[in-house]
Amino acid sequence: MEIAVSKDGTRLAYDVVGAGPALVYITGATCFRKFRPILGDVKVFGTKFSVYNYDRRGRGDSGDTAPYAVERELEDIEAIIDAAGGKAHLYGHSSGAVLALEAALRMPDKVDRVVIYDAPYVHDETERRSYRELAEKVAGLLSDEQNGRALKVFLRGIGMPAPFVALLPAFPGWKSMKALAPTLRYDIGLTEEVPPLDRLAKIDVPVCISVGAKNPVGLHHVAEQLAKTIPHSTHRVIDGQDHMVSAKVLLPVLEEHLTAR
C-alpha cells in the first residue's frame, strides 16, 4: 500500500499493479481497491498498463474529511495522477465515470485519455423522481445506521440482480462494503441529475464512452447524449455485457483507445 495526500490533507491509499502507461482506475459505488471484483479487473488491466488502484475517500484504507464536495474527489484524482508522474489515463466505471469526465474537463493538462463505462446519470424526469425516492430511502437507513440494508436497497434500486445482491454478505469484502455505505451519499450526489451537457461539451481530451449492450435503455440514452456532445469522443457498445463488465472483454477497448496516437 502506498499513500498520496490530497489538497485538503486527506490520505489516499493506493496500489500500483502492472507495467505500461499509467492508468488511474476510478471505481463506482460500494467498491474499494481490495474488493475481489476490483482486484480481478486490476490484474487483467495490469497486463498492459500500470494501474493506479486507489480507495476513494471514505473507503477502504483512505481517510475522509468533511464537508464532502465533488471538488474534493477531483483533488483526490489529481493527487493520484501526481503520484503517477503528473499525467495519466483514466478509466471510470459507473459513478467513477462521472468523476473521470469531470477530471477530464477540469485538468486537461494532467489527463491524457479517458475511457468510461456506464455513466449512470439519470436520463429523464421520470428517472430523476424515482432516483430521489431511492436516495431518501437510503439516507433514512444510513441515518438509522442500517448500513447493510442501505446497501442492498441501493443496489436493488439501481437494477442489480436480486440474487447477486442477496449473495453479497457471503463476499469476503462485505464487512468493508458496509463500513463504506455512508459514501453512497457521494455517489448519489454525482448521479442524481441529467448529464450537464453544456459543461461536458468543453472537454478537450479524447474520451471513449462505452456501455454494455445488455444494460437498461437509460444508460444507452446517456451514452448517446455524451457521445454527441463531447468533442473528441467515440461511442462503443460492448456486446454481451451488463453493468458488471468483464475486464477481459474491456481490455481491448482500453488498449485501442488509450494507446492510439
Side-chain angles (χ1 to χ4, degrees):
M1 181 179 79
E2 300 187 55
I3 297 293
V5 180
S6 195
K7 188 176 180 179
D8 70 351
T10 300
R11 290 167 62 83
L12 305 169
Y14 71 96
D15 301 312
V16 185
V17 176
L23 174 64
V24 177
Y25 185 179
I26 310 172
T27 58
T30 76
C31 294
F32 55 101
R33 81 182 202 288
K34 292 183 179 179
F35 190 33
R36 184 172 293 177
I38 300 303
L39 291 174
D41 291 349
V42 169
K43 183 178 180 180
V44 173
F45 299 157
T47 62
K48 300 295 181 181
F49 299 93
S50 294
V51 184
Y52 285 72
N53 177 27
Y54 78 104
D55 284 324
R56 285 172 54 188
R57 61 175 51 215
R59 308 179 184 203
D61 295 309
S62 287
D64 201 2
T65 305
Y68 175 80
V70 174
E71 286 73 19
R72 303 294 82 75
E73 289 227 61
L74 296 175
E75 289 166 359
D76 297 348
I77 293 169
E78 184 172 17
I80 300 298
I81 293 174
D82 287 345
K87 193 158 190 175
H89 301 304
L90 304 181
Y91 167 57
H93 176 263
S94 196
S95 61
V98 175
L99 288 171
L101 291 177
E102 291 291 340
L105 174 64
R106 303 188 198 198
M107 53 185 96
D109 57 326
K110 294 192 173 186
V111 174
D112 194 349
R113 290 170 176 261
V114 178
V115 173
I116 65 170
Y117 186 87
D118 282 4
Y121 299 98
V122 298
H123 75 283
D124 60 19
E125 186 58 38
T126 299
E127 188 180 14
R128 182 192 278 121
R129 287 194 298 269
S130 64
Y131 195 58
R132 285 179 178 170
E133 291 173 5
L134 174 63
E136 289 173 5
K137 290 178 185 176
V138 170
L141 290 168
L142 291 174
S143 295
D144 292 338
E145 299 185 348
Q146 297 186 57
N147 286 9
R149 283 191 62 196
L151 273 173
K152 290 180 178 180
V153 166
F154 175 78
L155 292 172
R156 287 196 301 265
I158 63 171
M160 285 287 186
F164 174 81
V165 175
L167 287 172
L168 278 175
F171 279 47
W174 176 246
K175 190 178 206 179
S176 297
M177 289 180 71
K178 288 198 297 181
L180 60 78
T183 64
L184 288 173
R185 297 184 179 99
Y186 305 170
D187 297 286
I188 289 169
L190 286 167
T191 58
E192 64 186 351
E193 299 294 339
V194 297
L197 299 177
D198 287 348
R199 288 195 308 103
L200 297 180
K202 299 174 184 176
I203 291 176
D204 196 32
V205 301
V207 179
C208 177
I209 299 153
S210 60
V211 62
K214 296 169 68 175
N215 277 319
V217 66
L219 284 173
H220 286 275
H221 181 64
V222 166
E224 290 163 4
Q225 283 186 303
L226 294 174
K228 290 176 181 176
T229 299
I230 298 173
H232 317 295
S233 66
T234 56
H235 180 206
R236 294 288 297 271
V237 177
I238 312 299
D239 289 340
Q241 299 300 301
D242 56 20
H243 195 59
M244 303 300 289
V245 61
S246 162
K248 290 181 180 179
V249 171
L250 191 63
L251 181 60
V253 178
L254 294 175
E255 283 189 274
E256 178 184 337
H257 180 73
L258 299 180
T259 62
R261 283 295 180 266

